[in-house]
Amino acid sequence: MATNVQSIVPDAASAASLPKQPSQAAERWRAFCRRRAALVALVILAAIVLACIAAPWLSPYDPYAGNVKERLLPVGSAGHLLGTDEQGRDLLTRILYGGRLSLLSGIVPVIIAVILGGGLGIIAGYFKGIINTLIMRTLDILFSFPAILLAIGISASLGPGISNIMISATIVFIPPIARIAETAVKEVKKEEYIEAALSSGAGTGLIIRFHVVNNIFSRLFVYSTTQIGICLMLASGLSFLGLGVSPPTPEWGFMLNNLKQVIFIDPIVTIVPGIFIFVTSLALNIVSDALSDVLDSKG
Amino acid sequence: MVAFISKRLLLFIPTLFGVSVIVFLMLQMVPGDPVNTIVPADATEEERMRVTRELGLDKPIYVQFIYWLVHMFQGDMGTSIIKRLPVSELLLPAVGNTLLLAAASAAVSFGLGLAIGVYSAYRPKSWAASLFNVLGLAGIGMPNFWAALILIGIFSVSLGWLPSSGMQSIGGGGLLDTFRHLILPTIAASLTTLGVMTRMVRSTIAGLLQQDFVFALQAKGAPAGKVLRHVLKNGMPTILTVAGLQFGYLIGGSVLVETVFAWPGIGQLIYQAIGQRDFPIVQSGVLVVAVAFVLINLAVDSLHAVLDPRVRHS
Amino acid sequence: MEHILEVTDVSKTFSLRGMFGQSKGGVSAVNGVSFTLKSKGTLGIVGESGCGKSTLARLIMRLIEPDQGQVRYKNEDLLKLGGSDLKKMRKRIQMVFQNPYSSLNPKLTILDNVAFPLWANGTGRAAASTQAYRYLDAVGLPKSYAAKYPHHLSGGQRQRVAIARALVLEPDIVIADEAVSALDKSVQAQVLNLFQDLKKEFDLSLIFISHDLHVVEYMSDDVMVMYLGGVVEKGPKEEVFANPRNPYTQALLKSVPSVDLAVRKAPETELLKGDLPSPLNPPSGCRFRTRCMFAEARCAQNVPALVEVGEGHHTACLLVHEGMAAVQNL
């Protein structure tokens, strides 16, 4: 019996000569770049974000000051690439400035929801029992509202304002994100490295910080990126209903709201700001689609 | 299965209770004294006290909640502050109109989604499938209120083919007139759902086409139609579940589309009420849609259990 | 020889709950198990999967709370400890887990995986890393591996990391729960030898759990055989392997493929019949009787106690106690 046991090829030595592995991040970036559509979408997205940030340097116009003589100039007019709005303000300028709030209201609620919902989901998933029931059943109730209706209800109650839109969007995104986190934590808890950590005498806080959070992060991240496009649409929808900014602040959803009154005069100008909502959310969806393909593959 | 559905029904009650708590809390979040929205600005202190008492606002908040809940159960949703009509009288026809729009959108997006999805699954390499794939993504990324504006721009303003607002022409019209009014809102409302359905049907069917039972059927020489029937039968539980959820979203998401087309549904009613700070309508409207959404989920779960035995035994 | 760990009458029943939280009976996973671990000795625990070996390990570690019993480490009952006392005692006993793909945190580097137990016990980052390097070296992993992640390593290498992590807290006792079962035969041998070496180097007492009789024989001084949550036979390795008294042990030894021939010989008589009964509803009396060749009517009525049949050799079988020829002659 012992003869069998002693036939040894040292595995540590043989593996030391393994070729140097490229880092995971670089591998994934290359996988992402192989998806042409995703790369194009990422470039478009970056261009839109940068243009909105750099609006004051890109546009010579004041987003608030209009020229009555130049109302509703068509797309492609000299000096006004995308025409002017119902008050004679340059549309492109307003879109670039407006994008700042629109993009923020797409991203900020998701980030806050990841922190709050992720936190709740981790607590619920880690502790099980009564704490889990309490947290998850409460969130289930929020989840049983159609998202846009819940957001409208909360926004309407809080009163108009872009920050109130962000608050209501955050509340809408907390339950699904918490659910993803909870499921992921429950799976991680079954891993033996958690048992190993427990038997080393580690406290709950340390285990969550070093063994739970980093192991659920990529799933949470992938899911959250798919929510940014949805959040952008939700927020601009609320804004479109007049629940967001008040005039004359530019914001994509609200600009559509203002321009819809002149749709019978110039339908093209009316729909221009919507192109930006559409292209941004489409690009976000394509990028997040590719991200989930690239990151979800277990590595 | 009876046990499964009765368990779902049992969960339904606390969910409903929770939903009404949240809707009630929404009203509590409204800044300012609700009495101010009812009494005229120059009302005397006695007048204000009388209204406060009438509304039960002098009672503790949980008593207010119980009053409100009991009234809701009796179908008494309060009175519209602006229109001075019982809320239920305003809501009922609106719910009908919303359901009509949601049903039309569901029919379009489910029917087309199934057809396109199956086609794309069968011919994944065709140019049409790639086109549909891109269109599906576009549908998901397209805000429906913007789609609504585009449709109006093209079909009402430029071409003048279809009406852009309301449910009937002035002076009324027949069924055909209502149908013409229904077309654009239906298209606008169904785009997102169509995108979701197409992609989901395609991936479900494509997955099933790779399974052994399909190869077995083909090896036996079964005609393509018979293979498809088997595939659809296997994919139906998944497809129906997503479809059911999407129907819920169609009702919930109707607010924006209805607003653009002035479709007299519950969404538009809520939208107007928000502008006028007519909170009893907002509250009841949100509650009605939320309850409908919960009921649809319940129905979808039960249907799923009927169709897929694995669910009820898990 | 001095005893470092004394386990007395430890039991655990997992209760099952129905749809509405009502009790639906329980699974008796570990049932009245007692044993002692000699200081610097190795106890092998062997049994089929599902016999409660792993649960027993987790009960000793208090990863699962036992329903009853005592676990005395140097005369202190670990089951009575709580809070900081438990934390202090806990690191005296460490565990190496079965699955090298699940037992290392994939998001921490090898070094951090090994250093974490030290962080958890208040050691600073730098000091913890120094210590972790030392133990990575002790298990034979080159320094260049410290910055790698678990997915860069083979199963055998991962298991070395897991061993380093178990040792980093300088425990007296290491429990290896099927620590080599997931590895290839050749790698198994290296890891077993590593255990032997480390045991000497760090004065460890080992509890070696395996379903593989060869492994247990190779590693152990004492052996304990478990069946369906209970101990059926235990004693010094030579005694148990050379002179098995319990029909179950005999069956296990018979069903082991002969190593010398490297082919499985068909046993002349099939000693194990049927499948493992459900622990949800274990047989009455002797739990092994449903699969025992020699079972008699009385086996269903009486629960056999562990009785000494030789020098430190105990077995739980009514027939052996009564002296049945067929059993003894096998």
Side-chain angles (χ1 to χ4, degrees), chain B residues 5-175:
Chain B
I5 292 176
S6 53
K7 190 187 170 198
R8 280 299 142 104
L9 273 171
L10 230 62
L11 276 174
F12 173 68
I13 294 161
T15 307
L16 217 51
F17 181 79
V19 164
S20 38
V21 169
I22 287 171
V23 172
F24 179 77
L25 285 179
M26 275 181 197
L27 196 68
Q28 303 299 316
M29 287 192 305
V30 176
D33 188 345
V35 175
N36 289 339
T37 58
I38 297 171
V39 299
D42 57 350
T44 60
E45 194 53 33
E46 279 136 54
E47 177 85 355
R48 295 177 57 86
M49 292 286 278
R50 189 183 59 76
V51 175
T52 307
R53 255 198 315 280
E54 257 176 31
L55 295 176
L57 294 175
D58 51 342
K59 305 270 192 324
I61 187 159
Y62 62 91
V63 177
Q64 290 184 41
F65 173 67
I66 293 168
Y67 276 178
W68 177 77
L69 202 59
V70 169
H71 281 292
M72 281 285 165
F73 251 99
Q74 295 165 341
D76 171 10
M77 301 177 167
T79 308
S80 158
I81 296 168
I82 305 295
K83 296 190 171 133
R84 299 276 164 203
L85 284 169
V87 172
S88 51
E89 227 168 84
L90 293 162
L91 273 180
L92 214 58
V95 168
N97 294 340
T98 293
L99 280 178
L100 175 64
L101 178 56
S105 315
V108 170
S109 49
F110 296 172
L112 270 180
L114 198 62
I116 297 174
V118 169
Y119 175 83
S120 303
Y122 266 85
R123 305 248 178 288
K125 296 248 155 63
S126 66
W127 62 268
S130 335
L131 179 69
F132 286 137
N133 188 28
V134 174
L135 286 181
L137 263 180
I140 295 171
M142 181 172 284
N144 57 14
F145 53 95
W146 184 55
L149 289 176
I150 296 177
L151 289 169
I152 292 177
I154 297 173
F155 294 100
S156 305
V157 180
S158 300
L159 298 172
W161 289 355
L162 290 164
S164 66
S165 83
M167 202 172 157
Q168 273 166 344
S169 306
I170 298 161
L175 264 177

Side-chain angles (χ1 to χ4, degrees), chain A residues 185-195, chain C residues 102:
Chain A
V185 171
K186 276 184 171 165
E187 271 168 35
V188 167
K189 268 206 85 177
K190 289 186 204 140
E191 302 281 351
E192 284 178 348
Y193 56 80
I194 299 286
E195 282 190 303
Chain C
S102 159

Side-chain angles (χ1 to χ4, degrees), chain C residues 113-172:
Chain C
N113 261 299
V114 176
F116 178 81
L118 293 168
W119 306 345
N121 285 282
T123 311
R125 285 293 181 98
S129 293
T130 315
Q131 194 76 343
Y133 271 122
R134 186 178 310 154
Y135 281 93
L136 280 176
D137 184 52
V139 298
L141 283 175
K143 227 178 171 142
S144 61
Y145 276 60
K148 288 183 187 290
Y149 286 87
H151 68 269
H152 291 132
L153 270 60
S154 69
Q157 293 166 338
R158 288 173 193 232
Q159 209 57 312
R160 285 171 191 266
V161 178
I163 295 168
R165 176 182 59 192
L167 295 179
V168 79
L169 289 175
E170 298 173 346
D172 296 323

Side-chain angles (χ1 to χ4, degrees), chain C residues 205-276:
Chain C
S205 312
L206 268 183
I207 295 180
F208 214 91
I209 298 174
S210 180
H211 66 274
D212 186 333
L213 283 166
H214 294 315
V215 167
V216 167
E217 185 180 10
Y218 179 66
M219 294 298 292
S220 316
D221 308 320
D222 293 304
V223 174
M224 176 162 98
V225 183
M226 287 182 73
Y227 182 81
L228 226 56
V231 179
V232 296
E233 186 153 12
K234 63 183 177 185
K237 171 178 77 180
E238 296 76 15
E239 265 288 305
V240 173
F241 275 82
N243 188 19
R245 303 297 296 273
N246 193 289
Y248 178 61
T249 317
Q250 293 170 352
L252 275 186
L253 286 170
K254 264 279 162 95
S255 65
V256 170
S258 162
V259 176
D260 302 325
L261 296 174
V263 258
R264 186 184 170 139
K265 260 197 312 195
E268 296 109 54
T269 42
E270 196 61 61
L271 286 169
L272 272 180
K273 53 181 186 184
D275 291 325
L276 201 63

Side-chain angles (χ1 to χ4, degrees), chain A residues 1 5 9 11 15 195 215, chain C residues 58 102 105 157 189-190 193 217:
Chain A
M1 206 163 292
V5 162
V9 193
D11 66 323
E195 282 190 303
N215 278 294
Chain C
R58 283 165 174 77
S102 159
N105 183 342
Q157 293 166 338
Q190 299 164 40
N193 286 341
E217 185 180 10

Side-chain angles (χ1 to χ4, degrees), chain A residues 144 157 233 241 271 274 281 289, chain B residues 26 31 140-141 146 199 271 293:
Chain A
S144 57
S157 307
M233 287 220 286
L241 289 178
I271 59 183
S281 79
D289 240 31
Chain B
M26 275 181 197
I140 295 171
W146 184 55
R199 285 167 66 85
Y271 170 67
F293 193 65

Side-chain angles (χ1 to χ4, degrees), chain B residues 259-309:
Chain B
T259 308
V260 178
F261 289 102
W263 184 263
I266 200 158
Q268 212 214 347
L269 195 65
I270 292 174
Y271 170 67
Q272 285 174 346
I274 290 172
Q276 297 162 334
R277 302 185 69 71
D278 195 346
F279 288 106
I281 291 189
V282 178
Q283 198 179 28
S284 310
V286 171
L287 185 67
V288 166
V289 179
V291 169
F293 193 65
V294 174
L295 279 171
I296 290 168
N297 277 328
L298 179 71
V300 169
D301 274 354
S302 310
L303 190 66
H304 198 168
V306 173
L307 290 175
D308 190 347

Side-chain angles (χ1 to χ4, degrees), chain A residues 116-130:
Chain A
L116 297 180
L120 284 171
I122 288 172
I123 293 170
Y126 194 85
F127 291 102
K128 298 181 178 163
I130 185 84

